[in-house]
Amino acid sequence: MYYIGVDLGGTNIAVGIVNEKGEMLKKGSVPTNAKRPADEIIKDMGELCKKLITEQGITVDDVEYAGIATPGTADHDNGIVVYANNLPFENYPLAAKLSEFSGIKKVLIENDANAAAKGEAEMGAAKGCNNSVMITLGTGVGGGIIIDKKVYSGFNYAGGELGHVVIEVDGAQCSCGRKGCWEAYSSATGLINMTKAKMQETKDTVMWEIAPTLEAVDGKTAFDAMRKNDKAGKEVVDKYIKYLAAGLINMINIFQPEVLVIGGGICKEGENLTKPLQEYIDKEEYARSNKQRTTVKIAALGNDAGIIGAAMLGF
Amino acid sequence: MYYIGVDLGGTNIAVGIVNEKGEMLKKGSVPTNAKRPADEIIKDMGELCKKLITEQGITVDDVEYAGIATPGTADHDNGIVVYANNLPFENYPLAAKLSEFSGIKKVLIENDANAAAKGEAEMGAAKGCNNSVMITLGTGVGGGIIIDKKVYSGFNYAGGELGHVVIEVDGAQCSCGRKGCWEAYSSATGLINMTKAKMQETKDTVMWEIAPTLEAVDGKTAFDAMRKNDKAGKEVVDKYIKYLAAGLINMINIFQPEVLVIGGGICKEGENLTKPLQEYIDKEEYARSNKQRTTVKIAALGNDAGIIGAAMLGF
């Protein structure tokens, strides 16, 4: 049997065909053009599914189901997207629509961060675990909770907003309206804001060579400066890691997952990131004297986590 | 059939007989004398169970199982207390021991905060819910997570430490070693510390009449002062509620439980507490525009939550 996974992003729709072992056999993508009516977007999604099915030399009847990783609040019991920020979905019957446009009988849906967590739990860094939590450090801080191998998203499908946990009352403004959310510190955006603030504070830093203007600052600027023994760069990195650790230890104290997966571009920093994080965890985790402790791992599936997780939603 | 629930506290062992409807039929208690060897404590627990069984006019064979709510990390799969702070338990086979000393064949165990959450989920404020979270505002801030009607405590049984979530990086010192934990602000201890700090800051407050010395300050002092239109008292209450709300909204954003239960002595403040809390939630919750939202409720079972939850662990 075959399974189709769809990762519906604001820019592209990525589709993959996966076998029963979770291996990706074929992959393709088309632009989302997110400002169109929802039906037009899903029509293109359906066409891409049909095209890949044909290219794979199978028929729609060989597909057990398709799974869609979508932004927003995904009612996975009824296949309806309750609401999405960047896409024209409001109580939109996403599952039924893809079924209509592709001919695939059964379609499952899940929020994209949750689907990525499911992918990592089935085929990635948390493979084989019953309980895991995934944190994605991107434009925001995304979260996905896997309990008993299933996505947990609360009674109204809106749970798992792990980035919107306040770690500093009255702290940095978050896009959600609260102040001091973890996301405001530990997202790439948060890191860039910290870097810019430090650069405005001091002219005496290599960061002004790496990024001659504030517009040129990215998530690597401070780390690159640190590698050149820049004091200000190291201070930014130290602060970033301190806040990231605070949020991660919160998640461990709450969930004690077998594996806590961290994903997102910043993870390319490798040991510069994970070593100091682990030191904080060893010092502060509530169950630090336990024999059995949560393992923190870098995500293994990269950009494929959403497709693979979506394809394995029924597993 | 009958079920026995045991709430093992640092001061008393409370035991109750419960019927299949979760109703308490009989209750009794003996002192814990926590400094004795574990076996002596559990012998007394067993004797009390046998005494209540006799008084109820039933036999040990009429008891389906006994459940124990215990402090510490409770391996509920194997009936073993991994570790407890205030009791002489380390890898102690609590379930097998009570079975030996009482003759009750089947014994289940659970951490006390988790058992209270189970009690509230079965018979109390969250009755009928699949997913609920309970927060107890006492000496510390205790937490219990119910998912699919079962206690969730992570892969090593140490999860659900909801009070040990940092809400202010580098904030108030917590007993767990971290700084800025929710518990350091929202426990009765946290409230008392805030009250004392404000009193030391200003002599011009009714709080010095209510509590003539700092030793006389308790969790009611600031609320009582506020009711007498005292400005400083109101400032303490406002700050207390602000931090409590921050932590509660964190829990909603993470879990989106059907019901979030709040227990502990401070809840006697009623609307003075719940009304401003709800205002914060309505303003800040991530899913505040959703139709389906978490309901915050005051715990319904009081001190019986542990016994009833323990008695219903097998439900």
Side-chain angles (χ1 to χ4, degrees):
Chain A
M1 260 306 182
Y2 298 86
Y3 306 85
I4 284 185
V6 181
D7 190 355
L8 172 55
T11 311
N12 286 303
I13 303 167
V15 176
I17 299 181
V18 164
N19 66 13
E20 65 284 348
K21 291 180 198 157
E23 295 159 344
M24 182 95 74
L25 305 174
K26 191 164 266 305
K27 209 163 77 170
S29 79
V30 288
T32 307
N33 293 331
K35 305 220 158 158
R36 306 182 279 171
D39 275 12
E40 286 185 29
I41 297 172
I42 309 310
K43 244 178 217 163
D44 281 0
M45 185 190 283
E47 289 303 321
L48 179 55
C49 290
K50 288 197 278 185
K51 178 168 163 274
L52 291 175
I53 287 169
T54 306
E55 285 176 14
Q56 182 65 24
I58 59 175
T59 74
V60 82
D61 293 329
D62 298 317
V63 176
E64 179 86 14
Y65 63 82
I68 309 173
T70 173
T73 303
D75 170 353
H76 52 229
D77 291 316
N78 298 298
I80 289 167
V81 180
V82 181
Y83 177 75
N85 227 344
N86 310 313
L87 287 168
F89 294 159
E90 214 181 307
N91 293 315
Y92 182 73
L94 178 57
K97 288 289 184 176
L98 179 61
S99 189
E100 179 190 334
F101 295 135
S102 69
I104 300 166
K105 285 192 194 77
K106 185 176 170 187
V107 179
L108 307 171
I109 73 166
E110 187 50 80
N111 164 273
D112 47 9
N114 296 344
K118 172 74 172 166
E120 291 288 342
E122 289 287 340
M123 294 298 294
K127 191 172 176 172
C129 298
N130 282 320
N131 304 328
S132 61
V133 169
M134 180 171 181
I135 301 294
T136 304
L137 308 169
T139 314
V141 170
I145 304 164
I146 304 296
I147 290 179
D148 282 343
K149 294 194 175 286
K150 289 181 300 188
V151 167
Y152 174 82
S153 58
F155 88 112
N156 59 2
Y157 316 104
E161 288 294 345
L162 306 182
H164 298 288
V165 166
V166 161
I167 61 169
E168 188 142 297
V169 170
D170 289 333
Q173 183 65 49
C174 182
S175 60
C176 78
R178 296 184 88 186
K179 282 184 176 176
C181 281
W182 188 19
E183 169 162 313
Y185 298 93
S186 296
S187 60
T189 319
L191 174 56
I192 289 168
N193 287 342
M194 275 183 210
T195 307
K196 286 179 179 173
K198 179 59 98 178
M199 287 169 68
Q200 283 174 304
E201 209 180 286
T202 175
K203 295 290 148 195
D204 181 23
T205 163
V206 172
M207 292 191 284
W208 280 113
E209 289 168 31
I210 298 169
T213 64
L214 289 179
E215 288 67 41
V217 171
D218 64 21
K220 282 177 77 241
T221 308
F223 279 92
D224 285 344
M226 181 183 73
R227 275 185 281 270
K228 293 183 174 178
N229 297 313
D230 182 63
K231 185 167 163 281
K234 185 168 187 314
E235 283 170 10
V236 172
V237 170
D238 285 350
K239 181 178 175 186
Y240 177 77
I241 289 175
K242 177 182 186 162
Y243 281 78
L244 179 55
L248 290 176
I249 297 166
N250 284 351
M251 293 305 132
I252 296 175
N253 286 352
I254 294 169
F255 291 106
Q256 291 288 342
E258 201 168 335
V259 171
L260 177 60
V261 183
I262 318 179
I266 191 88
C267 295
K268 288 184 192 134
E269 298 295 341
E271 280 212 337
N272 281 333
L273 187 76
T274 53
K275 233 183 114 187
L277 278 179
Q278 193 61 50
E279 283 167 16
Y280 274 110
I281 295 168
D282 291 342
K283 212 172 62 182
E284 294 193 19
E285 186 207 331
Y286 194 78
R288 56 191 176 272
S289 60
N290 272 34
K291 270 183 208 155
Q292 289 190 297
R293 290 179 56 203
T294 295
T295 308
V296 177
K297 288 189 182 174
I298 300 297
L301 302 181
N303 290 334
D304 287 343
I307 298 180
I308 291 176
M312 302 185 86
L313 282 174
F315 278 58
Chain B
M1 261 304 182
Y2 297 87
Y3 306 85
I4 284 185
V6 181
D7 191 353
L8 172 55
T11 311
N12 287 301
I13 303 167
V15 176
I17 299 182
V18 164
N19 65 14
E20 66 284 348
K21 290 181 199 156
E23 295 161 343
M24 183 96 75
L25 305 174
K26 192 164 265 305
K27 208 163 78 170
S29 79
V30 288
T32 307
N33 292 332
K35 305 221 157 156
R36 306 182 278 171
D39 275 12
E40 287 185 27
I41 298 172
I42 310 311
K43 246 179 216 162
D44 281 1
M45 186 189 283
E47 289 303 321
L48 179 56
C49 290
K50 288 197 278 186
K51 179 168 163 273
L52 292 174
I53 287 170
T54 306
E55 285 176 14
Q56 182 67 22
I58 59 174
T59 74
V60 81
D61 292 330
D62 298 318
V63 175
E64 179 88 12
Y65 63 81
I68 309 174
T70 173
T73 304
D75 169 354
H76 52 229
D77 291 317
N78 298 297
I80 289 168
V81 180
V82 180
Y83 177 75
N85 228 342
N86 309 314
L87 287 168
F89 294 159
E90 216 181 306
N91 292 315
Y92 182 74
L94 178 57
K97 288 289 184 176
L98 179 62
S99 189
E100 181 190 333
F101 295 135
S102 69
I104 299 166
K105 284 191 195 79
K106 185 175 170 188
V107 179
L108 307 171
I109 72 167
E110 188 50 80
N111 164 275
D112 47 11
N114 296 344
K118 173 73 172 166
E120 290 289 342
E122 289 287 342
M123 295 298 294
K127 192 172 176 172
C129 298
N130 282 319
N131 304 328
S132 61
V133 169
M134 180 172 180
I135 302 295
T136 305
L137 308 169
T139 313
V141 170
I145 305 164
I146 305 295
I147 290 178
D148 281 344
K149 294 194 177 286
K150 289 181 301 188
V151 167
Y152 174 82
S153 58
F155 88 113
N156 60 1
Y157 315 105
E161 288 294 346
L162 307 182
H164 298 288
V165 166
V166 162
I167 61 169
E168 188 141 298
V169 170
D170 289 334
Q173 182 65 51
C174 182
S175 60
C176 79
R178 298 183 86 185
K179 282 183 176 175
C181 282
W182 190 18
E183 169 162 313
Y185 299 93
S186 297
S187 60
T189 319
L191 173 56
I192 289 168
N193 287 342
M194 275 182 209
T195 307
K196 286 179 179 172
K198 181 57 99 179
M199 286 168 68
Q200 284 174 304
E201 210 181 286
T202 174
K203 294 293 148 192
D204 181 26
T205 163
V206 172
M207 292 191 283
W208 280 112
E209 289 166 33
I210 299 169
T213 65
L214 289 179
E215 287 68 40
V217 171
D218 64 21
K220 283 177 75 240
T221 308
F223 279 93
D224 285 345
M226 181 184 72
R227 274 185 282 268
K228 292 182 175 179
N229 297 313
D230 182 62
K231 184 168 163 280
K234 185 170 188 312
E235 281 169 12
V236 172
V237 169
D238 285 350
K239 182 179 175 187
Y240 178 77
I241 288 176
K242 178 182 187 163
Y243 280 78
L244 178 56
L248 290 176
I249 297 165
N250 285 350
M251 293 305 133
I252 296 174
N253 286 353
I254 294 169
F255 290 106
Q256 291 288 342
E258 200 168 335
V259 172
L260 177 60
V261 183
I262 319 179
I266 191 88
C267 294
K268 289 184 191 134
E269 298 295 339
E271 279 211 340
N272 280 332
L273 187 76
T274 53
K275 229 182 117 189
L277 279 178
Q278 193 62 50
E279 283 168 17
Y280 274 110
I281 295 168
D282 290 343
K283 211 172 62 182
E284 293 193 19
E285 186 206 333
Y286 194 80
R288 57 192 176 270
S289 59
N290 272 35
K291 270 184 210 156
Q292 289 191 298
R293 290 178 57 201
T294 296
T295 308
V296 177
K297 289 190 183 175
I298 300 298
L301 303 180
N303 290 332
D304 287 343
I307 297 180
I308 291 176
M312 303 186 86
L313 283 174
F315 278 58

